[in-house]
Amino acid sequence: MATLTTVDRDAPLGEILAHLHRDGGVIVQDLLSEEARLAIIDDLAGAMEVIEPGSKSGLEQWELFHGRETIRFCGLAARSRAFVEHALLEPVFRAVTDHELLGGCTSYWLNTGQVMAVGPGETAQYLHRDEGNWPEAINAEQELTISCMFALSEFTQANGATVVVPGTHKLPPGVTRGYEVIDDDVAYAEMSAGAGLIYSGKVIHGAGANITDQLRYGVHVSFVAGWLRPEEASPLQVDRVCAAGLPEEARRLLGWSSYHSEGGGRTWLVDFEDAADLFG
Ligand SMILES: O=C(O)CCC(=O)C(=O)O
């Protein structure tokens, strides 16, 4: 079986990047303090109680992808201040994202902040590359998206730890869904509660099967180049009133600001001005 490296949260950025570039993913210990982890769990507890597992798009491929026993929901910045302060703005993940994405854009924004709670009896998700969301934009040399799976509970091979195929971020570009799992190739992102798996948009991965009777509770945060349309329509969930109460940087990441390309292009404007000006 392949493995992923686990590093301390105060490891030098260069070391974290070296593992990410070699394997396509790296586990960082203690990205969330115990207090932060419990605060996020507490904020999301009400939603976790009422949201049924599985998604209801009516599209079989997506329902399968989302997992029939997996609880998923978004709009986390509107549901949890602790999510904003400790996951969305987590500094180690942000430093990695700056390094990986800013070569291909002048700013990035939230792709999705999503609970991914794999329930007992869930089967393994089919393996995929996250950048497959934007097939028209894929470029072998440049990352479009970077993700972090924050472990709100311990992740183990048995309870559905993310399956990663190390090194596959170096495969040629292409929309890869349903990559065949070869046991020797795969690593299970086993990590303690509070740790995070930071991974490339190019690496082949997916949620594992859960053969335990406990939930594998993860929160996924991903960022995407500012000139691409994110998976989650954040400003439609985190409305203007809610956004006004958030830190400026969080608002920017959630789409309450505009994109300025290097060549002078400006997009996502409000009456030709930067959307951030709405907040004075
Ligand atoms: O839940 C996981 O471990 C990964 C899920 C995933 O890759 C996805 O849904 O895009």
Side-chain angles (χ1 to χ4, degrees), residues 42 118 161 175 219 234 242:
D42 197 43
V118 178
V175 183
V219 164
S234 292
C242 177

Side-chain angles (χ1 to χ4, degrees), residues 65 72 116 118 125 128 130 149 160 162 199 205-207 216:
F65 181 81
R72 288 181 182 250
M116 296 184 180
V118 178
Q125 186 184 38
H128 58 280
D130 284 350
M149 174 64 79
T162 310
Y199 55 103
H205 72 283
R216 187 225 70 180

